[in-house]
Amino acid sequence: MRLCRFPPSSHRSLFKSKSFTSSTSTAAPDLIYSLSRCSNLKHINQIHGFMIHQGLHRDNLLLSRFVDVCMALGFLGYAFSVFGSNPDPNIYLYNTMIKALSQADSAKDPIGLFNRIQVVGLRPDSYSFPFVLKAVIRLSTVETGKQIHCQSLVIGLDSNVNVVTALIQMYSFYGCVPDARKLFDGVSSRDVVFWNAMVAGYAKVGDMESARELFERMPERNVISWTTVIAGYTQINRPDEAITVFQRMQLDGVEPDEIAMSAALSACADLGALEMGEWIHNYIDKRGLNKVVPLKNALIDMYAKSGKIGKAIKVFESMKSRSVISWTTIIAGLALHGLARKSLEIFSRMEMAKVKPNVVTFIAVLSACSHVGLVEMGLWFFSSMKPKYGIEPKIEHYGCMVDLLGRAGYLQEAQELVKRMPFEANAAIWGSLLAASNVHGDADLGATALRHLIKLEPNHSGNYTLLSNIYAAVGRWNDSRMVRKMMRDTGVQKMPGGCFIEVNNIVHEFVAGDTLHPEFDRIHEVLCMVTEQLECCLLFEKRGIRLDEIDEG
């Protein structure tokens, strides 16, 4: 490593003073000022040389500032070499170096550095443990985390709220939520960060009942508390509850952050809750967040899934900066609306913009081909993934191809592709073949698909119903009855149909046969009135009476 003991003349403007001073007390402010302006490796070399010249290279506090700047600029190796040359680092400098190493996927081991603390006669403090536990999450295993937990017990920091919060986060990351909950229950003095860690732990494993129970018990909540619950409900596909919590957040006067709005928009997309989605869009514009790419991506997805593909395109075209997710989302949205050729045009623009497609992009592209039966084009994209784009097809891509071939009537080719797959076919693939057999009346293929689906989804009533309908359509009534009997004998219950409807920013869920909705009587009355009117219209139509004649009369 080349050290520059004196700043080159071309870079002396970094320092307040024109010349070096022999006083360490006046040199330190110069150094701090210079670190704040540092932007490249030449500056790093210059400042290091200045530190050596002024005798500041053994000041642990200043070295910590130096390490932070090196890390921010990406010169971690330089920082580590400077740390290693210090003969007497204190715990503050060790913590800074562990933090820097834990934030980078570095070959240098922050966990090993943590273990050296006690070897050199120092004592880890309440900052050492959270920093090294972040490294455990990024670079190691839960067993290493348990060993560090034991060290916190020996040192007596096992009840420190910062240390226990980090341990909860570590155990939750590895799915050891019962261990995290034991720690949570063992601490009486809890701040909002501590509560959030446990709520997030439950949300991570999809246990939203426990997460919600803790959330409701929290003595105080911040925006992260609300966001964790909203995102948790979205991830387990309970968008109606995500929207409900988001609305409560508004009523409590908590301003949502970008993550909360993204999660809420995802829930709106799943529900088709357009009014709420448009409200969030207006809120984003008012807050001046319309340049935040992830939010724009979420808006594109929401509008596309809510049936407003024109607005989705408008949001996409307004973006000055686009990520691969932006391109992929609009391609998928156009495919969803059957606009396959427009979707493929966007893909061509993506290539011209030199944005490399990813595995999800090709799922969207192949889906676009499937929706309108572009078999040859789909086969070309599928066969080009590995040689042209360096992307190995995954089971989702094979699923798209099976769907494409099946929809187009190439049932034999679809079955051959399933046999050649390097993966075991999943329920989605056999479901595609079952649906294709229904469309094209191939009862034998339907029976084969159902045999596999019974093993993969034994309680899915729709598979039995579909095959029964296939048999009925080709006149095989005995087989149709046998499938229905098999369904009854195995105890498979037919799932009732359901839907969500948004009215005045409130999402209502309706399930067939359910009478528990608070407005049930009123809804039933209106439906009866609509039914009577339709029957009258049909009666007048049969008698040749025009409705406009009735109005005129």
Side-chain angles (χ1 to χ4, degrees), residues 135 341 363 426:
R341 298 195 183 278
I363 292 173
N426 58 18

Side-chain angles (χ1 to χ4, degrees), residues 268-270 272 300-309 312 328-344 363-372 407:
C268 290
D270 291 338
I300 294 169
D301 186 54
M302 183 275 297
Y303 279 126
K305 289 179 178 176
S306 300
K308 296 290 184 179
I309 190 62
T328 300
T329 305
I330 193 63
I331 290 169
L334 289 163
L336 183 67
H337 285 260
L339 302 171
R341 298 195 183 278
K342 176 69 174 174
S343 179
L344 298 176
I363 292 173
V365 168
L366 294 174
S367 295
C369 295
S370 179
H371 280 303
V372 292
R407 283 177 186 238

Side-chain angles (χ1 to χ4, degrees), residues 84 166 175 205:
V205 297

Side-chain angles (χ1 to χ4, degrees), residues 225-491:
S225 317
W226 292 93
T227 300
T228 301
V229 176
I230 294 166
Y233 277 128
T234 303
Q235 287 164 6
I236 65 168
N237 198 28
R238 285 163 65 178
D240 52 329
E241 293 184 69
I243 292 294
T244 300
V245 175
F246 184 77
Q247 289 171 326
R248 266 187 63 192
M249 184 183 185
Q250 309 302 302
L251 294 173
D252 275 24
V254 180
E255 285 196 4
D257 60 8
E258 294 169 22
I259 300 172
M261 285 187 282
S262 292
L265 284 169
S266 179
C268 290
D270 291 338
L271 288 173
L274 182 60
E275 289 180 30
M276 175 61 73
E278 288 177 329
W279 183 90
I280 296 172
H281 190 176
N282 291 332
Y283 186 83
I284 289 169
D285 288 342
K286 287 177 184 176
R287 287 274 306 275
L289 298 172
N290 46 12
K291 293 182 180 178
V292 179
V293 173
L295 284 178
K296 288 281 195 170
N297 296 341
L299 283 170
I300 294 169
D301 186 54
M302 183 275 297
Y303 279 126
K305 289 179 178 176
S306 300
K308 296 290 184 179
I309 190 62
K311 284 196 171 184
I313 294 170
K314 189 175 180 180
V315 172
F316 174 80
E317 296 295 354
S318 71
M319 296 175 73
K320 293 182 179 178
S321 176
R322 302 183 182 111
S323 66
V324 64
I325 297 172
S326 314
W327 293 94
T328 300
T329 305
I330 193 63
I331 290 169
L334 289 163
L336 183 67
H337 285 260
L339 302 171
R341 298 195 183 278
K342 176 69 174 174
S343 179
L344 298 176
E345 284 174 19
I346 296 288
F347 181 76
S348 297
R349 282 175 56 188
M350 179 182 180
E351 290 191 296
M352 287 188 285
K354 302 194 182 306
V355 178
K356 186 179 178 181
N358 60 20
V359 292
V360 183
T361 310
F362 276 100
I363 292 173
V365 168
L366 294 174
S367 295
C369 295
S370 179
H371 280 303
V372 292
L374 298 174
V375 177
E376 290 185 10
M377 189 168 287
L379 288 168
W380 183 86
F381 277 119
F382 182 72
S383 61
S384 300
M385 284 178 62
K386 181 64 186 260
K388 186 175 179 181
Y389 301 97
I391 297 174
E392 191 73 47
K394 298 187 179 296
I395 192 167
E396 293 84 0
H397 303 106
Y398 280 94
C400 289
M401 290 306 300
V402 170
D403 186 56
L404 169 60
L405 293 168
R407 283 177 186 238
Y410 295 95
L411 303 185
Q412 186 65 37
E413 290 80 356
Q415 291 179 78
E416 290 297 323
L417 182 61
V418 171
K419 291 176 183 175
R420 296 199 311 269
M421 277 172 43
F423 314 98
E424 191 73 29
N426 58 18
I429 288 174
W430 289 115
S432 291
L433 286 174
L434 181 59
S437 66
N438 180 44
V439 172
H440 299 285
D442 190 330
D444 292 333
L445 174 58
T448 302
L450 182 63
R451 279 199 300 272
H452 288 89
L453 285 167
I454 288 172
K455 294 177 184 176
L456 297 168
E457 298 178 333
N459 297 316
H460 195 303
S461 61
N463 298 326
Y464 293 89
T465 303
L466 194 55
L467 181 59
S468 176
N469 292 341
I470 294 170
Y471 282 136
V474 296
R476 292 169 61 173
W477 300 106
N478 286 336
D479 290 330
S480 177
R481 282 190 290 270
M482 285 297 295
V483 171
R484 297 277 180 177
K485 184 177 184 301
M486 186 195 307
M487 183 176 169
R488 287 193 301 271
D489 292 346
T490 53

